[in-house]
């Protein structure tokens, strides 16, 4: 499907390459970002109204739920009935559900579709989308997911995409910490890191953190560890997702002690240590430098 009119709001690290891929695929994309950024093949609009008026589809890729609510409050009033609103930002489940309700009240189709895959996935069109919304809304969004990504899972009703994202990243945060502390322990036990990788990556301790994104430099596949821990996926973004997971857990009274501890450790790393701006796998040098008493 080509030739859709798409309004794209939030042309940051993720949004700009996603919008560029839609334009490259033959869609007419009008973009708006409060910082004045742009993207290849995208026509810059002066404001939100200019980007979304008359659009068949509006996509947002914004920093958080508060900004999403503000942007949506403005955008929805200018969108035509029957158009589709796709939010690809990572936000709290409540903001997703509230915005979905406002969109549906205005006669729009709504999909929350946070992504996994990072900046590389956005540039390469290989993101994974976790989508929440009606069957009709998902069907309307699916051809665009095919352009911007390699996989889209319809997780359920509005908010289900955000729920899937924060559960996934809660597992990721906890397993990355477990993998890093195990490497640091192995070091102190005199175990060679390559041997540690060879065993764990083919044994029951394996995980995406170990096998696909190994936090030890020079071991396993190429990862941010091999590039001085430049992100990749920044520690502060992991902290944001862990914070969202704990906010959601509190809301529904779910007991998530590992998620809570992962949030605490990433908060310490980002706010009190030197973790800000580093990849989230830089937990390994952090553990390496510490003792039990620290
Ligand atoms: P970013 O900060 O680079 O981009 C966000 C953009 O939104 C900025 O350019 C900002 O100017 C713009 N913006 C803010 N307020 C606005 C407003 N009122 N109107 C218009 N534009 C506005 O962030 P990013 O890395 O592109 O991430 C975007 C979202 O994707 C976040 O929710 C993030 O959690 C999620 N995400 C990021 C990654 C990643 O690796 N960067 C991976 C997965 C998910």
């Amino acid at each position: 499907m080509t030739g859709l009119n798409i309004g794209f709001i939030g042309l940051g690290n993720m949004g700009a390459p996603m919008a560029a891929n839609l334009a490259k695929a033959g869609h007419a994309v009008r973009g708006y970002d409060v910082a004045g950024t742009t993207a290849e093949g995208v026509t810059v609009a002066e404001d939100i109204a200019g980007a979304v008026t008359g659009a068949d589809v509006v996509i947002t890729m914004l920093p958080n739920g508060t900004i999403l609510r503000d942007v949506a409050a403005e955008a929805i009033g200018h969108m035509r009935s029957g158009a589709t609103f796709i939010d690809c930002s990572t936000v709290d489940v409540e903001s997703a559900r509230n915005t979905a309700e406002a969109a549906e009240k205005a006669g729009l189709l709504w999909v929350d579709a946070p992504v996994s895959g990072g900046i590389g996935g956005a540039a390469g069109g290989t993101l994974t989308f976790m989508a929440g919304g009606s069957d009709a809304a998902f069907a309307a969004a699916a051809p665009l997911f095919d352009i911007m990504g390699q996989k889209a899972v319809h997780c359920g009703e509005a908010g289900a995409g955000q729920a899937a994202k924060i559960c996934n990243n809660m597992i990721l945060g906890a397993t990355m910490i477990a993998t890093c502390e195990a490497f640091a322990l192995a070091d102190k036990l005199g175990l060679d890191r390559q041997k540690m990788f060879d065993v764990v990556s083919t044994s029951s301790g394996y995980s995406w953190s170990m096998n696909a994104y190994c936090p030890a430099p020079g071991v396993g596949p190429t990862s941010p560890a091999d590039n001085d821990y430049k992100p990749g996926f920044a520690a502060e973004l992991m902290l944001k997702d862990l914070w969202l997971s704990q906010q959601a857990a509190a809301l529904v009274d779910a007991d998530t002690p590992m998620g809570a501890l992962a949030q605490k450790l990433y908060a310490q790393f980002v706010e009190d240590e030197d973790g800000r701006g580093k990849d989230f796998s830089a937990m390994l040098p952090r553990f390496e430098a510490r003792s039990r008493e620290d």
Side-chain angles (χ1 to χ4, degrees):
M1 192 201 306
T2 54
L4 289 178
N5 283 312
I6 299 175
F8 204 113
I9 302 175
L11 301 170
N13 289 323
M14 297 289 290
M18 290 164 73
N21 281 336
L22 292 170
K24 202 162 71 186
H27 296 293
V29 186
R30 271 174 294 153
Y32 172 71
D33 191 295
V34 77
T37 50
T38 183
E40 210 183 321
V42 171
T43 308
V44 176
E46 295 251 305
D47 52 20
I48 291 173
V52 309
T53 303
D56 304 301
V57 178
V58 168
I59 302 176
T60 46
M61 193 51 166
L62 297 162
N64 60 49
T66 309
I67 294 175
L68 169 67
R69 287 182 195 229
D70 288 351
V71 166
E74 164 121 34
I76 288 170
H78 293 282
M79 287 173 67
R80 65 162 179 78
S81 178
T84 306
F85 194 131
I86 306 172
D87 176 46
C88 294
S89 331
T90 304
V91 304
D92 57 287
V93 177
E94 280 296 285
S95 290
R97 290 199 176 130
N98 286 355
T99 314
E101 206 180 305
E104 282 164 0
K105 231 183 239 165
L108 305 175
L109 295 168
W110 162 272
V111 190
D112 47 283
V115 303
S116 171
I119 297 166
T126 57
L127 295 168
T128 295
F129 291 87
M130 305 155 222
S134 66
D135 288 343
F138 182 75
L144 302 182
F145 294 153
D146 284 346
I147 294 167
M148 297 183 286
Q150 61 184 358
K151 190 174 172 67
V153 180
H154 189 190
C155 300
E157 290 303 306
Q162 297 296 348
K165 165 88 188 179
I166 57 176
C167 289
N168 180 73
N169 279 22
M170 188 172 81
I171 295 171
L172 177 61
T175 52
M176 181 54 84
I177 289 171
T179 304
C180 291
E181 70 179 21
F183 260 119
L185 169 62
D187 285 348
K188 291 196 175 174
L189 294 173
L191 184 60
D192 178 72
R193 284 187 170 179
Q194 183 63 50
K195 300 294 177 204
M196 167 81 174
F197 176 82
D198 291 347
V199 170
V200 176
S201 66
T202 53
S203 299
S204 45
Y206 86 91
S207 68
W208 185 87
S209 295
M210 175 61 85
N211 291 39
Y213 205 91
C214 183
V219 176
T222 303
S223 69
D226 300 304
N227 191 24
D228 207 19
Y229 295 100
K230 290 196 183 73
F233 185 49
E236 56 268 31
L237 286 177
M238 172 49 79
L239 175 59
K240 172 194 169 179
D241 292 354
L242 287 167
W243 182 79
L244 288 174
S245 77
Q246 295 315 292
Q247 189 190 16
L251 214 65
V252 295
D253 192 23
D255 187 24
T256 55
M258 299 294 285
L261 184 55
Q263 186 207 342
K264 191 172 154 233
L265 288 170
Y266 272 106
Q268 201 176 318
F269 187 47
V270 168
E271 288 158 14
D272 307 332
E273 299 167 357
D274 61 348
R276 188 176 296 278
K278 289 193 177 154
D279 189 74
F280 82 120
S281 62
M283 274 285 170
L284 174 51
R286 175 194 181 273
F287 279 116
E288 248 183 286
R290 294 171 66 88
S291 67
R292 283 183 86 73
E293 278 72 46
D294 286 332

